[in-house]
Amino acid sequence: MTRRTDWAEYEFAASGAPRGRGTEGGDGSAVDGDAVHDGIADGGGPRDGGGARAGGPRDGGPRGGRGRRRRTFGEAVAEDGDASSSSRAEREEPPADPVERARAICLRLLTGTPRTRKQLADALRKREIPDEAAEEVLSRFEEVGLIDDSAFADAWVESRHHGRGLARRALARELRTKGVDPTLIDAAVSRLDSEQEEETARELVSRKLRATRGLDRDKRLRRLAGMLARKGYPEGLALRVVRQALEEEGEDMEFPGDEGF
């Protein structure tokens, strides 16, 4: 089978269209097409020309020497760290062209999981892809929208704030570890305003309040305020929200000093 090496495959991949066997008009790329086909086979076996599932003969023996054992979940995860895991062609003979290798690695890593440019660059460097080849592939992926650090940052803030209750400071710290540009980080976290941040802090305290009942006032204050601090909320906001919640429960919060948490 002849491998297509033109960059049109990137636009095809970005469109979300299926690749490989079953796609009309072509056999797809050796990496993407076979990855999709293998995924179908692992999920329940490919179908033959008549729509029936292909498999071994009735006597249970191998069919033409091409019988294959279904991978377990652990095997699939282990193979994900190998640059030659996504297609038969790669298992038999990894691409010699470093650009082709870089492209195959990036496509596999992006399957189902958005990643930043830095994360992909680190993965290529770990696999000893030359810098020039890595730069060519990463730049092209950005052009066609397969890499979009701005969209990644926006989605990260939305998901982690509503899912984990993280404040702007914690969100910015996480995005920095992903290699997102500081300008993009500022733009993403600025979408989360102070009022929304405080409302989320109140919801977090409300959910944890019952678990602290029976403790003395100071310990409740430290525990709840510390929970908010670990999620990135400023100390002043954390103390104010916790005190208000405790006062609503009837705690006497008139004591000197804010220190102690």
Side-chain angles (χ1 to χ4, degrees):
M1 178 175 65
T2 301
R3 179 185 292 274
R4 295 175 56 188
T5 57
D6 56 287
W7 285 110
E9 291 183 52
Y10 289 110
E11 286 79 356
F12 194 75
S15 68
R19 307 298 300 273
R21 298 183 184 180
T23 302
E24 296 180 3
D27 57 358
S29 76
V31 176
D32 298 343
D34 285 341
V36 173
H37 176 69
D38 287 348
I40 295 173
D42 293 340
R47 297 179 182 271
D48 60 20
R53 295 193 181 278
R58 294 180 182 274
D59 62 4
R63 181 177 182 176
R66 295 182 60 82
R68 58 187 302 173
R69 179 175 60 87
R70 180 177 298 178
R71 293 181 304 168
T72 65
F73 177 77
E75 290 172 332
V77 171
E79 287 184 7
D80 188 54
D82 185 350
S84 61
S85 66
S86 61
S87 72
R88 290 190 302 273
E90 284 186 288
R91 286 195 296 269
E92 295 168 0
E93 186 177 353
D97 183 0
V99 172
E100 288 293 313
R101 288 181 57 211
R103 182 174 60 167
I105 292 168
C106 289
L107 285 174
R108 190 182 70 254
L109 292 176
L110 287 169
T111 300
T113 306
R115 299 177 190 267
T116 66
R117 177 170 178 141
K118 182 180 184 300
Q119 287 176 307
L120 292 173
D122 290 344
L124 295 178
R125 190 176 302 109
K126 181 179 179 180
R127 290 160 174 80
E128 299 183 348
I129 300 296
D131 291 343
E132 183 177 349
E135 180 66 24
E136 178 181 345
V137 171
L138 294 173
S139 296
R140 184 57 178 167
F141 272 41
E142 280 188 325
E143 289 178 13
V144 300
L146 291 175
I147 300 175
D148 189 338
D149 283 3
S150 177
F152 179 96
D154 290 343
W156 187 269
V157 169
E158 179 74 12
S159 173
R160 298 286 284 176
H161 177 72
H162 292 290
R164 298 289 302 277
L166 298 186
R168 287 174 289 187
R169 184 168 60 185
L171 292 166
R173 181 170 60 247
E174 288 187 341
L175 288 172
R176 283 195 295 270
T177 66
K178 303 291 183 184
V180 179
D181 184 88
T183 302
L184 299 180
I185 293 176
D186 291 342
V189 299
S190 67
R191 300 176 186 274
L192 182 63
D193 58 39
S194 299
E195 292 182 3
Q196 185 177 357
E197 194 174 53
E198 182 169 340
E199 179 61 27
T200 302
R202 294 184 187 282
E203 293 173 0
L204 289 170
V205 171
S206 178
R207 291 201 296 265
K208 297 289 186 180
L209 202 58
R210 180 178 296 181
T212 66
R213 289 172 184 165
L215 301 175
D216 63 65
R217 180 198 63 187
D218 292 350
K219 184 171 291 186
R220 296 184 79 187
L221 176 65
R222 288 195 301 270
R223 182 166 297 184
L224 293 169
M227 178 268 295
L228 291 180
R230 289 190 296 274
K231 290 181 178 292
Y233 292 88
E235 180 178 345
L237 171 63
L239 288 171
R240 184 175 73 253
V241 168
V242 173
R243 282 181 173 179
Q244 290 175 352
L246 293 176
E247 284 176 351
E248 291 173 0
E249 278 205 340
E251 289 277 10
D252 180 11
M253 299 306 297
E254 293 185 4
F255 57 91
D258 292 338
E259 67 277 2
F261 91 92

